[in-house]
Amino acid sequence: MTGSTVMQATAGDYYGLLLGLRPVGPAWPEDDNLLRGAADGLARLHARTLRLIDEADPRTTAELLPAWEAFAGLPDSCTAGTRLTLGERRSALVGRLTARGGQSRRYFQELAAAVGFPDATVTEFRPFRVDSRCTDAINPDPWRFAWLLSVPDDGGLADFDAGSPCTSAVRAWGRPVLECAVRRVQPAHAHVFFGYGTVPRPERPDEDEGDFVMPQAGIPQQSVATLSQGGAAVVTGREVVSVRELTAAHSATLATPEGAISGGSGLDSQNSAESAFDGRSDTLWASLQTGAAVDGVAWIGQRFATPQSIRRIALRQGRGMPLTGFLPQYSDDGVAWTTCPKTDGQAGPNLTMTIDLLDVGAHLWWRLLAASSPPDGYPWEVADVQMMALRPVYRLLVPGVDYEVQSTTADGAQSLTVIRRKAGSAVTIMTTIL
């Protein structure tokens, strides 16, 4: 059996095993139909056992979904009488099992994600105040208790047509599971609205909500630092511009097949180190070592062209005998390795693991060293490894929604300009020259 099918076993595999258990001699038929029947039954049992791995996880269950739902008290008032797809039922189940409660914007965004809407945003409204602009919405005082949950989804939009019943609405939309799940736990004093389609940006960004993500990519960090003047607001007349760095986001994977390295590849040529970095689910790397020899010896990693500061490693193992312990390490010469401090790994579905690393600077070599072993005879199998850095996320606070950032270079100097547009005209708020 090859590395990608170690956990799989066909009737032919079992037939070969059973033949090997028979006594040796001419009395035994060369082709044993009795053993073929037994092998077929064992193969079916093996396949059903493998399926149980997915059934044990509420995110991948199918046959045991009704049992999971009964355990979680589903269907409930939000899902009863509603025809849901398999994915929607799983989302409702996961949402119920992982619910912790809360009243923050993040809590309701996470609740929406749990029922299948991961990109939801929350907009709160504030009444018109003395310092409001004359173009702001008046928003009477009760609006302080209203909020809008928006999702980039069409809401199942349906228009009235020639085949619609005469009692149908001219246009209807909504996601009952989402709306019921939110309304069931919303604050008692608040009123929630639901928005479908393009997620809106807030009218008045505050320090604690509604910041605008800087639209241009590739603006140097020193440019932003100069623009924000060390974090202080820049005032030009009545206009205020402020740039601040928020929690950094993980980059896309920096690992490539070309940079793949390992402590040896086993099984066959199709299980090379490159297979762990090709982004494919049907290929994998298998260690040269097996059983107890894997622990502290087998490893898979990358040699980067330039030093990289890796802050997250995402690992998806093969379905053979997955390991439970790993040591992330770095090196500057590929000979002397240092173990990188890490936070607790987060286990995921399909034999995945996410390991967040502390900042130890940039290095050329990075790897995962096995810190546990599979059973005797089994190698360590890895289907995919991603290595990610942290990239700074800058947010631009401006006193209006119509703005742009322009970056130009002239005579070797870079100019970064923030412009706010009013009634068709462009007003330069501030320019910084590097």
Side-chain angles (χ1 to χ4, degrees):
M1 293 181 286
T2 63
S4 60
T5 57
V6 169
M7 283 288 289
Q8 304 292 334
T10 66
D13 295 327
Y14 273 106
Y15 180 64
L17 291 173
L18 293 175
L19 282 178
L21 295 175
R22 293 190 319 175
V24 178
W28 301 96
E30 194 171 310
D31 189 8
D32 196 325
N33 289 330
L34 178 61
L35 291 186
R36 286 194 180 277
D40 184 63
L42 289 171
R44 289 199 303 270
L45 178 61
H46 188 109
R48 295 294 292 167
T49 302
L50 289 182
R51 178 59 194 163
L52 189 60
I53 297 174
D54 291 330
E55 294 299 330
D57 189 333
R59 294 165 293 187
T60 56
T61 183
E63 293 181 58
L64 292 183
L65 181 57
W68 273 106
E69 289 176 324
F71 171 78
L74 295 172
D76 57 11
S77 58
C78 290
T79 56
T82 303
R83 297 188 63 180
L84 304 178
T85 65
L86 178 62
E88 290 171 335
R89 291 173 63 187
R90 285 174 177 163
S91 296
L93 171 63
V94 172
R96 172 62 60 87
L97 293 176
T98 58
R100 295 183 179 179
Q103 294 188 10
S104 65
R105 290 191 299 272
R106 175 173 293 182
Y107 167 70
F108 285 101
Q109 290 171 326
E110 292 175 348
L111 175 62
V115 296
F117 299 89
D119 298 318
T121 63
V122 172
T123 302
E124 295 179 276
F125 305 94
R126 67 179 182 183
F128 195 90
R129 302 187 304 199
V130 174
D131 61 344
S132 299
R133 298 192 306 266
C134 61
T135 56
D136 287 345
I138 294 178
N139 289 348
D141 192 69
W143 275 96
R144 70 174 65 250
F145 305 114
W147 52 285
L148 171 70
L149 181 76
S150 303
V151 293
D153 179 90
D154 65 1
L157 182 66
D159 290 320
F160 187 94
D161 58 28
S164 302
C166 60
T167 55
S168 297
V170 175
R171 172 169 284 189
W173 61 89
R175 296 298 187 189
V177 174
L178 170 66
E179 296 183 15
C180 181
V182 172
R183 286 197 172 102
R184 184 171 53 192
V185 296
Q186 73 178 77
H189 67 282
H191 186 82
V192 59
F193 296 94
F194 294 90
Y196 298 95
T198 303
V199 176
R201 295 190 300 189
E203 289 185 28
R204 290 291 300 269
D206 293 325
E207 284 295 322
D208 61 345
E209 65 177 355
D211 306 340
F212 297 150
V213 179
M214 184 173 288
Q216 275 74 13
I219 296 178
Q221 182 174 349
Q222 61 267 29
S223 299
V224 179
T226 303
L227 176 61
S228 63
Q229 293 186 354
V234 178
V235 182
T236 303
R238 295 186 179 181
E239 304 292 358
V240 178
V241 175
S242 173
V243 177
R244 60 192 174 102
E245 181 179 347
L246 302 185
T247 302
H250 288 96
S251 67
T253 182
L254 304 178
T256 63
E258 294 74 20
I261 54 176
S262 73
S265 301
L267 296 178
D268 54 48
S269 60
Q270 296 180 351
N271 300 110
S272 63
E274 290 81 359
S275 298
F277 301 97
D278 59 9
R280 294 172 53 182
S281 60
D282 59 336
T283 61
L284 54 79
W285 166 79
S287 66
L288 181 64
Q289 302 79 14
T290 61
V294 168
D295 188 1
V297 178
W299 57 270
I300 181 77
Q302 281 274 307
R303 186 195 187 285
F304 294 100
T306 58
Q308 300 292 337
S309 177
I310 300 301
R311 299 296 301 278
R312 171 173 288 181
I313 298 178
L315 169 72
R316 180 164 58 85
Q317 301 184 76
R319 284 194 173 275
M321 293 294 176
L323 304 190
T324 57
F326 317 95
L327 292 178
Q329 297 183 326
Y330 60 88
S331 173
D332 294 313
D333 57 9
V335 177
W337 294 89
T338 302
T339 298
C340 181
K342 61 185 172 72
T343 62
D344 291 337
Q346 300 294 321
N350 299 325
L351 309 172
T352 60
M353 175 74 71
T354 300
I355 305 172
D356 287 331
L357 311 179
L358 299 182
D359 187 8
V360 294
H363 304 277
L364 278 174
W365 303 70
W366 290 84
R367 74 179 185 181
L368 274 181
L369 176 68
S372 60
S373 293
D376 288 344
Y378 286 90
W380 177 25
E381 296 179 352
V382 176
D384 185 64
V385 180
Q386 298 183 35
M387 295 185 175
M388 293 160 271
L390 278 179
R391 296 291 185 251
V393 176
Y394 297 101
R395 297 201 177 242
L396 175 67
L397 302 182
V398 295
V401 299
D402 227 353
Y403 74 99
E404 67 178 270
V405 178
Q406 295 180 349
S407 178
T408 58
T409 301
D411 298 327
Q414 184 182 30
S415 172
L416 183 66
T417 304
V418 180
I419 295 179
R420 180 184 175 196
R421 299 190 176 281
K422 297 180 179 180
S425 62
V427 179
T428 300
I429 298 176
M430 198 201 76
T431 299
T432 180
I433 303 296
L434 300 181

